Amino acid sequence: MSESLSGLQAPDARPAEVLLVDDDEVNLLLTAIALRERGFAVSESPSGDHALQRLAEWTPDLIVLDAIMPGLDGFDTCRRLRAMAGCDLVPVLMLTGLDDEVSIQRAYQAGATDFFVKSNQWSLLAGRLQYMLRASRMHIELERSKATLARAQDMARMGSFDWHRGRGRGGQLVLSVQGQRVLGLAPGQPAGLRQVLRLVAPDRRRGVLRLLTAKVRHASVIDDDVQVLLPDGQERIVHIEAEPEFSEQGHGIGYTGIVQDVTDRRQNEDQIRRLANFDALTKLPNRHQLVDRMNRAIGHARRFGHQCAFLLIDLDRFKVINDTLGHGAGDDLLVEVAARLRECVRHSERVPEGTLEAAGPRAHRALEAVGRLGGDEFIALLPEVGDEADARRVADRILEKMRAPIFVGTQECFVTASVGIAIYPRDGATVADLLRNSDVAMYSVKAQGKNAAALYSPMLAGQGRERLELEAALHKAIERDELVLHYQPIVDVRGARMIGAEALMRWQRGHQLVPPGDFIPLAEESGLIVPLSLWALREAARQAREWKLSFGFDESIAVNLPSRLFERSDLGEQIHQYATGAGVPHRALKLEITENGLMKDLQALTPGLHMLKDLNVEISIDDFGTGYSSLAYLTTLPIAELKIDRSFVHNLGITPQSAAVVTAIIALSRSLGLRVIGEGVENLRQMEVLHRLGCSAMQGFLFSRAIPAAEIERWLQQTVLPRKAPWIGQAARSDFGDGGLRAAAGRQI
């Protein structure tokens, strides 16, 4: 019991199990006792037949067999158990009293792992079993590792190979089973280097052979992808990676490496590359690739002293077709336009790679392309032009292509284009400069009637340049998500609470916040005011929903609309769509129209106003008091609210005339059952006079400027609810003593 038990424990910390087979009861007993004393768990079997029956139900860690037994001897027993499932790798020690070479040879031929001459040297026997057990476990672990590696290689579609120089042509190539699978070869099929090279397409084979020969000659590392045609007809891409082996004298004697099927990875990489560089709809180069090509073209033009040209192409009537026939038809039209533009330039289908210098002095011509910037805007890049006439010829070719009708389904459509041309280095030194100037040139074409091309000229940078640039940028403001709404609270000073808000549009142009006075007139002239206003309605509905969830806002947001929008028969449908989409009632949107806008074409606007009233959408007259017509329309139109023009509010408390006009407006509103709001309240004096005259609903800088939507709740929390604003105290002091302010204080939101 003094012997170490190290190595006798099974992996799960149990004693190693031994099946002891011997027909001699005394030997069986003595051997079993000796092995148990040395830490083994011994099961005894008196014959070969009995042992085989036990092995059919149980697999021990070791088997000890007596060689000479009546009936089925140890040799036959070993031979049979090796054929049983689960017993092929179990270590078998043959015990024999025969010490001749014939018996030893028979034991090994029968499948025994080792032999031991019978004796009472039990420690030697235990040591031999311990050694066999360790060797068996190492062998099993090695086989498990090999199987795991094989599975991993199969999953990675990878296999190994060895190639050594030999006397025959091609040397000696040895492929693993996994390597044969990668190359589509059956296990055991001869796979010499020549047979493998035949898998390469004939038109590529010479180049691959030349590459491999150069690598072998210089004993370089091989790291290349090769396109092969497998025996079953599949085209695959195989990655070969191998390192050279050297003799003791330092001579290259071969390579050891791996082959891996990387077809799926390459296809995914190609797909990612296409998505990153090409427009998904038209398959033309996208903005990312175009900018890269343009930068390359400018760099080459600068280095070699020639000119290049950018042609910005904008479709003239695309929006009409898109709105009339739907976005699906618009997409079909863009695809056809892209096909026509592609005929006017070259190389649009591929991505230029490598340095231009490496491909020769005229390699930059491969940069020529037409691509899609976005929406209905395209750009043609001409990387080398002799003069502006070359650029004009391409522009004329584009215009000519666009003159033919385009059939979208069964509908015949005509779409013209406006083309602006900018030439490097005359019209700019950077991509940004040239894009901007081609944009200016293109919009000068639109201003003069469209369907033409124009070169950028410094004359356009004069008085009209800023307007053209602004209009060009405004066309893209919605698409680029540059518009934002700021909100000015409308307050009830008597109740010290917010009773609504007016949405005021701002334009986040780069780092500059453009106020509406700088771009709304331009939008009205260009017709962009309609899409801008519809966007404002949709955004206001969405914001009303957010405020409802955030702090219980249940009032309306007023949106200023141009008079032309009230003439549209689908205005009610649009409002219904925006309100239901945002999950708010129709009354959450209040529409404002100026008095002058209303009076310009009162008869045309009246049906639309009644339709909106039926939808429970209120109408507010803005800038009231500045009109020049009869006030009779107030008695016939579905008006809910009047907003006193700020010009009258400004002089309240200073001139009696302003107070008289405001008093008249308030009295008129009361008699007609209309709400009245004072606009442009900037100080406590104006607020106090308005309040005293009977108008408690107001808006202006005294209460808050127009602020981003996210700041409205903070304004309520910091100003209105704690009653810290000066105007709240002033309104309380000027109240008519009926306790109205105190009663209303509890209704704040």
Side-chain angles (χ1 to χ4, degrees):
M1 297 294 290
S2 61
E3 291 85 1
S4 171
L5 300 181
S6 174
L8 298 183
Q9 301 296 318
D12 54 0
R14 60 178 175 80
E17 296 180 334
V18 178
L19 175 62
L20 184 59
V21 186
D22 197 331
D23 67 306
D24 188 326
E25 295 182 0
V26 175
N27 286 336
L28 184 64
L29 177 62
L30 292 176
T31 306
I33 291 173
L35 292 179
R36 289 191 181 102
E37 288 177 348
R38 286 160 176 79
F40 291 95
V42 181
S43 296
E44 303 167 22
S45 184
S47 67
D49 290 324
H50 183 270
L52 293 176
Q53 292 175 7
R54 292 287 309 277
L55 291 174
E57 301 175 353
W58 163 69
T59 303
D61 297 312
L62 295 160
I63 300 174
V64 180
L65 278 174
D66 184 16
I68 305 302
M69 292 184 295
L72 196 64
D73 63 13
F75 303 109
D76 289 335
T77 302
C78 184
R79 192 174 293 109
R80 293 189 183 186
L81 71 86
R82 285 303 188 201
M84 297 176 66
C87 293
D88 53 336
L89 297 178
V90 177
V92 177
L93 180 68
M94 192 76 74
L95 291 178
T96 178
L98 304 176
D99 195 13
D100 59 282
E101 293 184 2
V102 174
S103 297
I104 296 172
Q105 188 65 27
R106 282 188 67 193
Y108 286 132
Q109 289 176 351
T113 308
D114 206 348
F115 76 97
F116 190 80
V117 177
K118 283 186 177 181
S119 69
N120 58 357
Q121 299 182 17
W122 309 118
S123 295
L124 290 178
L125 175 60
R128 182 67 61 86
L129 292 176
Q130 179 179 341
Y131 171 78
M132 291 172 60
L133 182 62
R134 288 176 178 170
S136 172
R137 289 173 180 164
M138 291 178 63
H139 178 70
I140 292 172
E141 187 61 34
L142 178 60
E143 291 298 321
R144 184 181 294 115
S145 297
K146 289 171 62 177
T148 301
L149 177 61
R151 285 196 301 271
Q153 288 182 341
D154 281 338
M155 292 174 65
R157 297 182 181 178
M158 178 189 297
S160 59
F161 72 89
D162 289 293
W163 176 79
H164 296 282
R165 295 177 183 269
R167 293 182 179 178
R169 295 184 63 184
Q172 181 183 5
L173 176 67
V174 179
L175 276 167
S176 68
V177 174
Q178 291 77 24
Q180 290 179 309
R181 289 198 190 103
V182 169
L183 298 176
L185 303 174
Q189 180 179 346
L193 184 59
R194 298 182 64 174
Q195 286 83 0
V196 171
L197 283 174
R198 288 195 184 100
L199 299 176
V200 181
D203 58 333
R204 299 171 182 262
R205 192 176 300 160
R206 187 182 299 275
V208 171
L209 184 59
R210 188 164 46 245
L211 173 67
L212 293 177
T213 302
K215 298 268 188 180
V216 172
R217 183 183 301 117
H218 297 93
S220 303
V221 172
I222 298 175
D223 188 2
D224 296 284
D225 291 344
V226 179
Q227 187 171 350
V228 299
L229 182 64
L230 302 187
D232 62 1
Q234 292 188 69
E235 289 187 359
R236 309 297 290 179
I237 299 174
V238 175
H239 177 69
I240 306 173
E241 189 170 335
E243 293 188 352
E245 292 186 336
F246 300 93
S247 66
E248 294 180 357
Q249 293 76 27
H251 301 301
I253 59 174
Y255 278 83
T256 298
I258 59 99
V259 289
Q260 183 178 16
D261 187 335
V262 295
T263 309
D264 293 343
R265 187 188 73 192
R266 284 287 297 272
Q267 289 175 346
N268 291 336
E269 289 173 354
D270 291 343
Q271 177 67 8
I272 292 171
R273 193 173 173 194
R274 282 193 295 271
L275 292 174
N277 291 282
F278 290 89
D279 175 58
L281 176 65
T282 64
K283 306 302 185 290
L284 292 178
N286 60 14
R287 176 184 290 272
H288 169 78
Q289 191 194 151
L290 280 171
V291 170
D292 179 65
R293 287 178 184 249
M294 294 157 114
N295 278 315
R296 292 190 187 200
I298 289 174
H300 206 269
R302 183 184 300 115
R303 186 173 299 120
F304 291 95
H306 60 253
Q307 300 180 92
C308 58
F310 297 169
L311 281 64
L312 184 63
I313 306 152
D314 188 270
L315 304 184
D316 292 329
R317 301 183 65 251
F318 175 73
K319 188 178 184 307
V320 175
I321 294 173
N322 209 31
D323 290 346
T324 304
L325 301 181
H327 292 286
D331 288 347
D332 292 342
L333 185 141
L334 288 174
V335 171
E336 174 60 25
V337 168
R340 295 186 182 188
L341 294 177
R342 191 183 285 113
E343 296 175 8
C344 300
V345 295
R346 300 165 293 183
H347 306 301
S348 294
E349 289 79 14
R350 67 185 188 89
V351 181
E353 293 190 30
T355 60
L356 295 172
E357 294 82 355
R362 289 292 176 260
H364 63 281
R365 290 180 176 174
L367 296 170
E368 180 174 309
V370 62
R372 185 185 180 196
L373 280 183
D376 60 344
E377 279 191 336
F378 300 83
I379 195 161
L381 165 62
L382 308 180
E384 182 176 359
V385 293
D387 52 28
E388 63 183 43
D390 290 343
R392 275 197 174 276
R393 276 192 290 272
V394 176
D396 291 341
R397 190 158 65 239
I398 290 172
L399 294 173
E400 182 64 29
K401 283 282 185 184
M402 296 302 299
R403 287 193 178 96
I406 296 177
F407 287 90
V408 179
T410 59
Q411 180 67 46
E412 185 181 41
C413 303
F414 290 87
V415 178
T416 58
S418 298
V419 183
I421 306 170
I423 296 177
Y424 171 88
R426 187 189 72 185
D427 301 328
T430 66
V431 170
D433 292 339
L434 292 162
L435 278 177
R436 182 180 62 250
N437 290 338
S438 62
D439 210 32
V440 170
M442 183 267 293
Y443 275 105
S444 72
V445 173
K446 286 189 175 294
Q448 296 171 13
K450 308 176 182 178
N451 191 24
L455 284 158
Y456 173 78
S457 167
M459 294 180 59
L460 297 176
Q463 186 176 9
R465 176 172 178 172
E466 183 177 351
R467 183 185 183 282
L468 287 171
E469 289 181 348
L470 190 66
E471 183 178 349
L474 188 57
H475 270 270
K476 305 179 184 71
I478 299 179
E479 177 184 329
R480 295 173 177 173
D481 199 24
E482 294 177 346
L483 297 175
V484 294
L485 289 182
H486 284 193
Y487 299 86
Q488 187 173 43
I490 301 172
V491 301
D492 176 8
V493 297
R494 181 182 295 273
R497 63 192 184 99
M498 186 173 82
I499 58 173
E502 180 178 356
L504 299 169
M505 193 177 299
R506 302 289 187 268
W507 178 11
Q508 188 68 52
R509 189 183 181 195
H511 299 292
Q512 177 187 5
L513 193 66
V514 183
D518 292 349
F519 67 89
I520 291 298
L522 179 61
E524 290 176 341
E525 292 177 21
S526 63
L528 289 174
I529 192 64
V530 172
L532 293 184
S533 299
L534 293 176
W535 172 86
L537 284 170
R538 182 172 63 251
E539 176 64 16
R542 185 196 64 80
Q543 191 59 57
R545 173 65 175 176
E546 283 197 10
W547 284 346
K548 174 69 174 178
L549 297 176
S550 179
F551 56 87
F553 180 79
D554 198 30
E555 306 292 343
S556 60
I557 296 178
V559 181
N560 291 277
L561 296 186
S563 58
R564 72 178 73 176
L565 204 56
F566 287 92
E567 299 176 9
R568 292 177 53 139
S569 59
D570 64 341
L571 178 59
E573 181 181 343
Q574 294 279 6
I575 291 175
H576 173 73
Q577 177 183 340
Y578 299 151
T580 55
V584 295
H586 295 142
R587 63 175 179 80
L589 294 174
K590 180 167 60 178
L591 308 185
E592 291 190 2
I593 182 172
T594 63
E595 186 179 17
N596 284 333
L598 178 65
M599 299 309 298
K600 282 182 180 178
D601 197 352
L602 182 61
Q603 187 174 0
L605 300 182
T606 300
L609 297 178
H610 283 285
M611 178 267 298
L612 292 170
K613 183 178 184 299
D614 294 338
L615 282 176
N616 201 26
V617 177
E618 293 188 341
I619 307 298
S620 176
I621 305 299
D622 198 12
D623 301 337
F624 186 77
T626 60
Y628 51 83
S629 299
S630 168
L631 298 180
Y633 70 88
L634 293 178
T635 63
T636 58
L637 293 182
I639 305 300
E641 181 179 273
L642 301 180
K643 300 184 78 170
I644 304 172
D645 187 69
R646 64 185 63 246
S647 62
F648 301 119
V649 174
H650 179 74
N651 292 321
L652 282 178
I654 299 176
T655 63
Q657 291 86 353
S658 294
V661 172
V662 170
T663 300
I665 294 174
I666 294 173
L668 177 63
S669 301
R670 285 179 175 174
S671 65
L672 295 175
L674 305 178
R675 291 191 305 274
V676 62
I677 296 177
E679 288 188 291
V681 180
E682 299 178 353
N683 54 54
L684 291 172
R685 169 182 51 81
Q686 296 166 351
M687 183 205 76
E688 183 179 7
V689 175
L690 269 176
H691 191 191
R692 189 172 62 248
L693 293 176
C695 175
S696 62
M698 308 177 197
Q699 70 180 97
F701 289 172
L702 173 64
F703 313 105
S704 173
R705 294 178 177 270
I707 56 178
E711 297 181 17
I712 286 291
E713 185 173 4
R714 184 164 61 248
W715 173 81
L716 286 169
Q717 296 291 338
Q718 296 177 356
T719 302
V720 178
L721 292 180
R723 301 169 55 78
K724 291 184 177 180
W727 57 268
I728 296 179
Q730 183 73 12
R733 287 191 296 272
S734 62
D735 200 9
F736 294 113
D738 58 358
L741 179 60
R742 298 177 183 85
R747 299 194 300 271
Q748 298 172 18
I749 60 170

